Amino acid sequence: MLSRTELKVEADKVVGELETLRGKPLSKEEKEFLARAYEFAYLVHEGQTRLSGEPYIVHPVEVAKILAQLGVDTITLAAALLHDTIEDSQEVTIERLKEEFGEIVAKIVDGVTKVEHISTTVGPDQDSKKKMETIQKMFLAMAEDMRVIFVKLADRLHNMRTINFVEDPEKRRQKAYETLEIYAPLAHKLGIYTMKSELEDAAFKVLYPEEYYKIKELVAKKKKEREDRTNEYIKILKSALEEHGIDAIVEGRYKHYYSIWRKMVEKGKKFEEIYDLIALRVVVKDVTTCYTVLGIVHNLWKPLPGRFKDYIAAPKSNGYRSLHTTVITNYGEPLEVQIRDEEMHKEAEYGLIAHWIYKEKPDLKTAKEWIERLLEWRKELAQGLAEFDDIKKELQMDEVYVFTPKGDIKHLPKGATPIDFAYAIHTEIGHHFAGAKVNGKIVPIDYQLQNGDVVEIIVNKNSPGPSIDWLKYAKTQNARAKIKKFIKEKLAPELVERGKEILRKVCRKLGKSFEEALQAEGIKKHLSLYQEKDFFMKIGEGTITVQDLVEAITGQKVLPTRKQVGKRKKSTQSVVKVEGIESIELHIAKCCNPVKGDPIVAVVSRKGMSVHRKDCRNLRGMPEEKLFRAEWVVDSSERFDAFVRVVLDSEKNLPSLVDRVTALGAEFVAVKVLKMGEPFFLQLHIRVNSTAELGEFISRLRTYRYVLDAERVIQ
Ligand code: MN
């Protein structure tokens, strides 16, 4: 037991440590406030020990240290020191804390305590309804103040760091499971990368120890080789940046164990086949330089098409901003390069917390959106329409960002379709969805939205509303919940009636009574899958066809008619037709990059047949008999690589140029810096559907105010 004076000394020591970790000086009042919080917590926990045998006070101090490292405010630090005091003591109440430390600290501690009680019931064996209720309550407790989540995440992180002291293996697994299911996705949603990866690895180690140690060993084995290679890449890039007079921090970023394992499992790959174990991260001083660095990177190594992501122009919903590009290095391996400025870097590492600290006035838009999301989920959960799995999926899925025709940005999970987009805009627009145009072209209902797509929903005011079929295409739980609700409320009775009517007709045809039919083996099988009401609904709605019913009742297979067989066949779309030759493998020559609309010829090459521009340099002097007449298939939707040289008035307008490229309807692949200075020379690599589109693109680019000149590059 410490004496009064000893405790005071101890408190000052802890506060000093917190101040150092935080990296920003604390005022005298703040120091006193925190010292008081420490002393209070110390006395409440006196005599208690952790499972590790250490005095209990070590835990709240460690939690506060984790948060101090992220740079949080004094209120949050005090709440962290006090976070287990209500939990562990009969005398300490929320009122008492309010008197001693103010209303906000008391509320945060209360929120953390509530979450603690709730979360102990989420386990792998629990049924999803129970889980749903649990998560619902957790959201409720957390949504009141973001700082509840921060403290709770740090609390969980320290508990996971010391999980091996928990003796009961079931309890360990349960904590790890909960960490992976709830806390790591939460940290991800909040953009706190450092916490997310540590939580995931700690849980991974408990849940899948064999896999964890295996991957750890594999990573260690190749460590030297990978480090050498990373250092080489860093050297190459650094000297290229120096040549252009750019100051930058270039470092290697290693994938954490859990994300390697997930990639192996999801993609069915072996460890040796995971290439993106490392990525380069470039941190520069401002936004404009980010785009210049992108140009330099694309000059050094060949960019992989379709892998450029401009999260600066369109940040992820957790606020993450950076440029991402993947290039093929001199060793022929793909390498991801992330480019950002210092502010973006802090945000990426510390996520939402950074918004609270590094900005004079914290940008609370993301925080607000997040809380609104939580409240929305809560409501849907309460109505019992959203399933636990849906939410889990949404938390873990990657995102795409798309635009409304007016240029508003919408974030949707990867794989989302136009229906999801329609519901994201407005429930009524979703209900009256009749089709969609993406970048001006009609797309099929199952089209998966891509980053940067401009999506326009075609609405039919007279449409009967969503059908069960839509659930096949709707990927977000927001859209799914709304569709289910609509069907349940409006259409269910009608569909059930219609379904019964259809079944009655089938029965009459087969000479069986309705009751007899329901006893048939095949029908019973259906009824074991769905409730009776849903079964009739699926008939009424056409998901279960008359043919299915006949088969189910008679137990005999009905042969499909000729017409149906023909329908299933789909013709493969080709891009180029070559005279007199069918079904030979064609590819577009890389030397002259023809675009649909260019005059072309086909040439037999080692790889099959390649399509060149008629005026391609490499065809000069080629004997006539080796050339085949070729023509474009007019209605193909294929996109072709094209290169455009652009003269820009100044480097500082490069970001808006990259933005403009996508706005003009071309797919941006890469940008190469040709010559720095003013004017600024660069080469754009884009993808377009035709020469008409390319011509339009170039002429519209020429009218852009910062562009002095633009022309297509041929060879
Ligand atoms: Mn705790």
Side-chain angles (χ1 to χ4, degrees), residues 138-339:
M138 282 180 66
F139 284 165
L140 181 68
M142 293 190 289
E144 278 177 30
D145 192 316
M146 292 296 287
R147 288 171 286 194
V148 174
I149 310 182
F150 298 160
V151 175
K152 193 58 216 166
L153 280 173
D155 175 44
R156 177 50 58 107
L157 185 55
H158 184 244
N159 284 336
M160 287 308 291
R161 281 180 185 169
T162 52
I163 186 92
N164 53 331
F165 293 110
V166 176
E167 263 170 41
D168 180 1
E170 249 334 287
K171 216 168 164 189
R172 276 203 305 265
R173 284 182 57 80
Q174 196 253 324
K175 283 275 173 216
Y177 176 83
E178 193 185 80
T179 301
L180 218 46
E181 294 282 281
I182 296 166
Y183 292 99
L186 252 178
H188 174 71
K189 266 276 164 183
L190 299 176
I192 315 169
Y193 180 79
T194 49
M195 262 195 194
K196 180 207 163 194
S197 22
E198 198 184 335
L199 285 170
E200 282 183 346
D201 275 356
F204 178 38
K205 191 169 155 186
V206 173
L207 290 174
Y208 307 96
E210 259 173 54
E211 288 85 344
Y212 174 87
Y213 286 110
K214 180 101 188 284
I215 286 176
K216 198 176 165 184
E217 195 190 308
L218 286 166
V219 168
K221 223 192 264 167
K222 291 219 165 175
K223 204 171 165 216
K224 177 86 180 69
E225 186 189 320
R226 225 175 15 249
E227 275 175 1
D228 287 349
R229 200 162 272 191
T230 310
N231 288 335
E232 193 180 330
Y233 293 148
I234 292 176
K235 229 170 104 191
I236 295 173
L237 183 53
K238 263 200 151 161
S239 71
L241 293 176
E242 268 162 32
E243 259 172 54
H244 288 86
I246 291 171
D247 237 359
I249 299 167
V250 183
E251 54 189 17
R253 171 192 168 278
Y254 300 88
K255 246 191 163 44
H256 64 289
Y257 303 143
Y258 180 67
S259 82
I260 294 174
W261 180 69
R262 248 184 76 173
K263 192 145 196 185
M264 286 165 68
V265 173
E266 273 167 22
K267 303 255 159 97
K269 289 194 166 164
K270 288 196 205 116
F271 180 78
E272 294 75 30
E273 294 169 310
I274 308 281
Y275 290 111
D276 55 350
L277 292 175
I278 43 167
L280 288 193
R281 179 177 294 150
V282 185
V283 183
V284 294
K285 65 178 194 322
D286 57 32
V287 179
T288 306
T289 315
C290 291
Y291 289 85
T292 310
V293 170
L294 178 72
I296 292 165
V297 168
H298 286 172
N299 235 349
L300 274 180
W301 296 301
K302 196 173 147 43
L304 215 59
R307 294 292 296 270
F308 171 71
K309 281 169 206 136
D310 188 345
Y311 294 125
I312 294 178
K316 287 192 188 183
S317 69
N318 63 10
Y320 179 82
R321 291 183 300 156
S322 275
L323 297 178
H324 283 195
T325 185
T326 304
V327 293
I328 303 291
T329 69
N330 34 317
Y331 288 104
E333 63 179 8
L335 172 73
E336 185 175 85
V337 184
Q338 306 170 348
I339 308 162

Side-chain angles (χ1 to χ4, degrees), residues 351-386:
L352 204 52
I353 293 181
H355 282 278
W356 292 69
I357 309 148
Y358 296 106
K359 296 210 172 136
E360 298 258 309
K361 269 191 189 163
D363 164 24
L364 293 182
K365 204 175 151 261
T366 329
K368 213 180 127 242
E369 268 176 23
W370 167 250
I371 289 173
E372 275 167 10
R373 247 0 270 282
L374 291 178
L375 295 173
E376 206 178 290
W377 278 345
R378 225 183 71 213
K379 226 165 47 197
E380 282 161 9
L381 283 161
Q383 290 163 355
L385 293 167

Side-chain angles (χ1 to χ4, degrees), residues 10-48:
E10 193 60 29
D12 289 343
K13 201 183 114 212
V14 169
V15 173
E17 280 171 1
L18 292 177
E19 187 181 31
T20 313
L21 285 169
R22 187 161 169 266
K24 260 195 299 185
L26 295 163
S27 72
K28 192 164 164 272
E29 290 73 33
E30 286 177 312
K31 279 186 196 164
E32 277 170 14
F33 184 67
L34 287 176
R36 247 185 342 107
Y38 173 81
E39 284 168 35
F40 188 94
Y42 181 90
L43 294 171
V44 170
H45 295 302
E46 190 158 49
Q48 296 171 353

Side-chain angles (χ1 to χ4, degrees), residues 50 56 59 63 83-84 116 152 155 159:
R50 293 269 290 172
Y56 196 91
H59 168 66
V63 172
H83 82 268
D84 277 333
E116 186 56 45
K152 193 58 216 166
D155 175 44
N159 284 336

